[in-house]
Amino acid sequence: MRWPWQRSNAATARLAYRLAPAGVAWVLADEADGQLQVLRCGVVARDAADATWRQLSPRPAVALGLLELADYQLLQVDAPAVPADELRAAARWRIRDMVDTHVDDVTIDVMRVGRPRAGANQPLFVVAARNAAVQALGELGKSAPCALTAIEVPDTTQRNLQSAAAREIDLLERATACLVRHGDSCLLTICAGEELHYARRLEWDERLLTLGEAAAASPSPERPMAYELDGLGVSDPGLRLLTELQRSFDVWERSWPDLPLALLWLDVGPRSAEVAEGLQDQLGMRVLPLAWDAGLLPGAVAEADPVTRDACAPLLGALLRERPLRS
């Protein structure tokens, strides 16, 4: 029997986790006044996750898993003309020749692209996740003191974090882009009104950081163009990344002329602020570092060491699927 004035923490606490390169990253949060308060976070070896999670207090009732970029593909297809309950089956048929493995080896889910548009056949995003990766998250979740209730992907968690940043400066209904580095690649998303409209993976190159060096060394508005930095030619991957960004923005402008881009958020590591300043000169648009210190990394995550913070920050986007985070 539970007395009516006793509140069970187990009913509100949530655990988000991922199999990050550094180990199993996890974040524990609990609900308070309609928001989620981050309580603890960490990165542990996979064989230590069981013992770590069983000591958590309050005991989480919900677990959210996050896949890595290499574990899935995000594909865009025309929406098939079928009832809503048949969309997944129809989408599986549509992507059978688009996935890089056999279609029977992936788990799929679907969501509409962007906000509804009058008179338009709204396309679908199709997530095609490798069964082995989904099963690995599920097996890891068996050691958690709660059931795995949902699996997220970086495209949607980045959308959630990007939308939270846009809300902070009253740009939630405007279109904003966000570029986040993930090891040897980076993920570009464009969102408006808390909806994901565009997602693309791009190759990362360290030489993009020369933009930050140029911005720091040349405070005047007259700065050298990217292709002039250190004699780099047009075949330089850093410049190719700039070119691909501009191509993506051109596609966006043609596809969504009623939603011009307000700015680009950037998270490429500790030097994001410098690189953002250099990119702003090159792209001719407002570029801001994704401000992790502006309420986006609350509590324990903001105070963690850099490795733990970087591994756990994407998990906040998974928590944001249900509730805002308390700073």
Side-chain angles (χ1 to χ4, degrees):
M1 178 179 293
R2 181 178 298 126
W3 295 109
W5 59 80
Q6 288 181 326
R7 178 175 178 271
S8 172
N9 283 328
T12 58
R14 292 162 175 79
L15 174 70
Y17 67 89
R18 62 184 286 229
L19 285 164
V24 178
W26 58 273
V27 174
L28 176 69
D30 196 11
E31 187 175 339
D33 299 326
Q35 296 180 314
L36 287 178
Q37 181 175 5
V38 175
L39 303 177
R40 297 176 59 190
C41 67
V43 179
V44 297
R46 184 165 183 170
D47 57 4
D50 187 0
T52 300
W53 291 347
R54 293 189 182 282
Q55 297 175 9
L56 294 179
S57 179
R59 186 180 179 88
V62 171
L64 306 170
L66 175 62
L67 291 171
E68 302 300 295
L69 277 182
D71 294 336
Y72 71 98
Q73 292 175 262
L74 185 72
L75 307 168
Q76 184 172 323
V77 300
D78 293 332
V82 298
D85 59 353
E86 298 178 15
L87 272 179
R88 287 186 180 87
R92 179 179 290 275
W93 177 258
R94 286 275 177 96
I95 67 166
R96 67 191 186 281
D97 296 325
M98 302 169 66
V99 292
D100 54 15
T101 186
H102 195 282
V103 71
D104 291 339
D105 295 330
V106 296
T107 299
I108 75 164
D109 202 356
V110 298
M111 64 179 178
R112 298 287 181 181
V113 174
R115 59 178 61 168
R117 304 174 73 180
N121 184 21
Q122 194 171 4
L124 292 178
F125 281 129
V126 182
V127 177
R130 299 178 187 277
N131 290 339
V134 174
Q135 291 166 3
L137 274 183
E139 287 297 320
L140 183 59
K142 289 180 180 179
S143 65
C146 53
L148 177 62
T149 57
I151 294 178
E152 288 277 357
V153 294
D155 302 77
T156 54
T157 58
Q158 185 167 311
R159 172 203 61 194
N160 296 344
L161 288 167
Q162 177 180 349
S163 297
R167 185 183 294 108
E168 290 289 322
I169 58 174
D170 296 324
L171 287 179
L172 186 59
E173 296 303 317
R174 298 282 302 279
T176 64
C178 184
L179 182 71
V180 176
R181 181 182 176 186
H182 292 260
D184 294 333
S185 61
C186 40
L187 177 62
L188 174 67
T189 54
I190 299 179
C191 302
E194 297 185 292
E195 298 290 348
L196 179 65
H197 289 67
Y198 180 94
R200 186 184 178 195
R201 300 182 192 184
L202 300 171
E203 182 183 354
W204 167 256
D205 190 276
E206 290 287 335
R207 283 170 285 186
L208 188 70
L209 299 178
T210 57
L211 291 177
E213 296 171 0
S218 188
S220 69
E222 297 298 328
R223 296 197 183 106
M225 295 297 288
Y227 54 79
E228 297 174 343
L229 295 174
D230 301 324
L232 301 178
V234 292
S235 62
D236 172 64
L239 180 57
R240 286 206 300 273
L241 179 53
L242 286 174
T243 302
E244 293 306 318
L245 277 175
Q246 189 59 65
R247 286 175 177 169
S248 295
F249 298 154
D250 290 343
V251 169
W252 172 260
E253 290 175 0
R254 292 193 300 269
S255 303
W256 297 83
D258 55 330
L259 281 174
L261 283 175
L263 61 83
L264 168 67
W265 301 103
L266 186 72
D267 179 19
V268 294
R271 296 169 60 184
S272 293
E274 294 177 13
V275 178
E277 191 174 353
L279 264 181
Q280 185 164 275
D281 291 339
Q282 303 302 316
L283 296 173
M285 66 182 299
R286 188 181 181 193
V287 183
L288 294 177
L290 196 56
W292 297 125
D293 58 345
L296 293 183
L297 283 189
V301 181
E303 300 164 3
D305 62 87
V307 172
T308 301
R309 183 194 62 204
D310 291 345
C312 293
L315 294 170
L316 298 178
L319 293 171
L320 280 167
R321 66 179 275 133
E322 297 179 329
R323 297 284 190 278
L325 295 176
R326 173 178 291 181
S327 59

